[in-house]
């Protein structure tokens, strides 16, 4: 029974994004509706959705939207939650279908290429509680960095976080291992560039302390 719950049918991120983008351009697609009825890894799909705002060409706003959502996903993995949870205020918000459609047109060719490379392997890197803890911790830290006003980093973090999302969605432990290494490097480089990550996080959470 546990295995049946763990491995429901998976939908590719590209197919789900195309389905979400289909419809009237002015319709608002809430995060709650995005999560309803999705197969595969709900955490992977929620992380994929949380990463999308990072690609908006709006400095400051993109990271402020995406960063906290990424950290929320990471925190839930960190405490080994079985299913993702969203606050009601967050779950009731989301982008318009027209925005999703424009994004889908730009990113779909890249997603198609990536989908040809990923496959289920090294399941321990996905399923083991210690691995889930490490993934959650790195996502919390990367989400904090993404939310901070560090110039020219939104796309860098966005691509990196898509790696985590695809590793979870496709149960690709090898890709997750690569994402861990890249995440540690990003935390070291960008955390050091703006001071220590701890100081940045405190300033972000408690401005003017």
């Amino acid at each position: 029974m546990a295995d049946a719950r763990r491995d429901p049918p998976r939908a590719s991120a590209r197919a789900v994004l195309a389905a979400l983008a289909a419809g009237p351009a002015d319709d608002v697609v809430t995060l709650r509706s995005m999560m309803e009825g999705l197969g595969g890894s709900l955490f992977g799909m929620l992380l994929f959705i949380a990463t999308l705002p990072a690609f908006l060409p709006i400095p400051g706003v993109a990271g402020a939207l995406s960063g906290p959502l990424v950290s929320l996903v990471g925190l839930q993995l960190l405490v080994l939650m079985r299913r993702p949870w969203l606050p009601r205020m967050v779950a009731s918000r989301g982008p318009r279908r027209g925005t999703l459609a424009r994004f889908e047109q730009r990113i779909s060719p890249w997603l198609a290429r990536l989908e040809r490379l990923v496959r289920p392997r090294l399941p321990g890197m996905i399923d083991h509680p210690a691995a889930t803890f490490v993934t959650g911790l790195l996502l919390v830290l990367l989400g904090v960095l993404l939310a901070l006003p560090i110039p020219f980093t939104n796309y860098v973090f966005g691509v990196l976080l898509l790696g985590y999302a695809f590793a979870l969605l496709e149960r690709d432990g090898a890709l997750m291992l690569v994402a861990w290494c890249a995440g540690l490097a990003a935390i070291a480089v960008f955390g050091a560039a703006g001071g220590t990550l701890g100081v940045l996080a405190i300033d972000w959470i408690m401005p003017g302390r």
Side-chain angles (χ1 to χ4, degrees):
M1 182 68 68
D3 289 341
R5 287 196 302 268
R6 179 177 293 176
D7 296 316
R10 293 191 296 272
S12 73
R14 185 163 54 102
V16 171
L17 183 58
L20 292 172
D26 289 336
D27 279 2
V28 174
V29 186
T30 65
L31 291 180
R32 182 184 295 109
S33 67
M34 290 182 183
M35 297 304 297
E36 288 174 353
L38 291 176
S41 167
L42 287 177
F43 281 108
M45 185 52 66
L46 180 57
L47 179 60
F48 176 78
I49 294 168
T51 302
L52 297 185
F55 294 94
L56 294 173
I58 308 175
V61 175
L65 290 173
S66 194
L69 283 175
V70 169
S71 289
L72 179 61
V73 176
L75 181 61
Q76 293 177 53
L77 288 171
L78 188 63
V79 299
L80 305 180
M81 287 180 63
R82 294 181 61 84
R83 291 180 62 84
W85 169 85
L86 287 173
R88 182 179 303 177
M89 182 178 67
V90 175
S92 63
R93 299 177 182 273
R96 297 185 183 275
R97 288 193 194 275
T99 302
L100 284 176
R102 290 190 295 273
F103 179 77
E104 189 266 339
Q105 290 173 359
R106 289 197 298 267
I107 200 174
S108 184
W110 298 98
L111 293 181
R113 295 186 183 96
L114 184 56
E115 285 173 0
R116 289 196 290 267
L117 299 176
V118 298
R119 63 183 186 274
R121 51 189 165 179
L122 300 180
M125 293 293 297
I126 304 296
D127 296 330
H128 195 283
T132 301
F133 178 90
V134 172
T135 299
L137 178 61
L138 290 173
L139 288 176
V140 169
L141 298 179
L142 289 169
V144 170
L145 282 174
L146 176 58
L148 293 169
I150 305 174
F152 312 115
T153 57
N154 282 0
Y155 286 1
V156 174
F157 286 121
V159 171
L160 174 56
L161 290 167
L162 283 181
Y164 283 86
F166 265 85
L168 291 171
L169 282 168
E170 301 296 336
R171 300 180 55 75
D172 191 335
L175 178 58
M176 182 61 79
L177 184 58
V178 172
W180 280 9
C181 295
L184 288 169
I187 290 167
V189 171
F190 293 109
T196 65
L197 182 60
V199 171
L200 288 172
I202 292 172
D203 287 342
W204 177 52
I205 295 170
M206 295 184 298
R209 58 186 175 87

